Amino acid sequence: MAGLFESAGGGAAIALDEYEASILRSLEVQLLERIGPGPGGAGDDPLAALFAEGPTEAPADPALARLFPDAYGEPGKPDDEESRAASSEFRRFTELDLRARKRDDALHVIRALDGLGGGGGVLKLPAADCLRWLGALNDLRLTLGVWLELTEDDEQGLYDLPDTDERKPLVIAYLWLGALQESLLEAITD
């Protein structure tokens, strides 16, 4: 393995050195911090949590707005009042669950990386975990894309950035995450 996922008995496996594992873990922790904790504490009423309503407005943070976009309206075009109302209602009943899933996916990746014991090694994912990893990698890539202010036209230019560009480390991480995503997808479809 060369730092990318390979098919492994219905699941996938990847060899990560300690730096790759550390970088991936750090990015997931940063994403968790951005998404924030779940509502309430452990002592809360589970029935009340089941019927909890989420926010009705899109997040002000552009990275979170990318992870939790409006459900209605067209991107880049002003929304009409009907689209805004429908998006608000949809967000109110879905965002808490979506945030919880994204938190769970990120925590799942962190725990798997922690299982390497702080160093590198071969990480074997059962088939049931692969989709969680795909989701977590996608969330990281979307977040980095926002931080880098990327558009569809920018991707080819990323390979030509000079080493002196302060965005270079994030660009390398963005491209690496894309390669991880692609290799994981290929590994689980083989």
Side-chain angles (χ1 to χ4, degrees):
M1 280 183 270
L4 296 176
F5 284 97
E6 293 180 2
S7 185
I14 186 169
L16 295 170
D17 67 29
E18 67 181 286
Y19 301 109
E20 292 168 327
S22 176
I23 290 168
L24 188 53
R25 187 184 190 290
S26 175
L27 289 170
E28 288 292 352
V29 167
Q30 290 177 54
L31 180 64
L32 270 176
E33 290 171 351
R34 188 159 289 237
I35 291 172
D44 283 352
D45 178 7
L47 186 59
L50 181 63
F51 292 103
E53 293 182 4
T56 58
E57 296 295 320
D61 177 342
L64 288 178
R66 182 72 173 105
L67 292 177
F68 308 106
D70 283 334
Y72 299 94
E74 292 185 45
K77 293 188 179 180
D79 292 335
D80 58 31
E81 190 173 320
E82 187 177 325
S83 292
R84 281 192 305 274
S87 287
S88 176
E89 230 9 53
F90 185 81
R91 181 179 299 282
R92 182 166 64 115
F93 293 112
T94 61
E95 188 170 317
L96 291 180
D97 287 339
L98 186 56
R99 280 180 184 262
R101 196 200 82 230
K102 290 181 182 301
R103 262 192 306 277
D104 288 347
D105 289 349
L107 281 170
H108 194 78
V109 170
I110 291 167
R111 288 182 185 124
L113 293 168
D114 287 349
L116 293 175
V122 176
L123 185 63
K124 295 180 182 177
L125 302 178
D129 292 350
C130 291
L131 291 179
R132 297 182 90 168
W133 271 72
L134 275 173
L137 292 172
N138 187 60
D139 291 342
L140 282 178
R141 198 155 186 266
L142 287 172
T143 301
L144 287 179
V146 171
W147 289 346
L148 291 166
E149 299 177 354
L150 297 180
T151 66
E152 288 181 31
D153 300 332
D154 293 336
E155 189 142 340
Q156 186 55 41
L158 295 179
Y159 293 97
D160 301 326
L161 277 180
D163 290 340
T164 56
D165 192 311
E166 64 185 26
R167 300 175 303 157
K168 187 83 173 201
L170 283 181
V171 166
I172 290 170
Y174 175 83
L175 295 172
W176 177 56
L177 290 169
L180 288 179
Q181 255 186 307
E182 184 177 348
S183 68
L184 180 53
L185 194 55
E186 287 174 1
I188 63 175
T189 57
D190 280 346

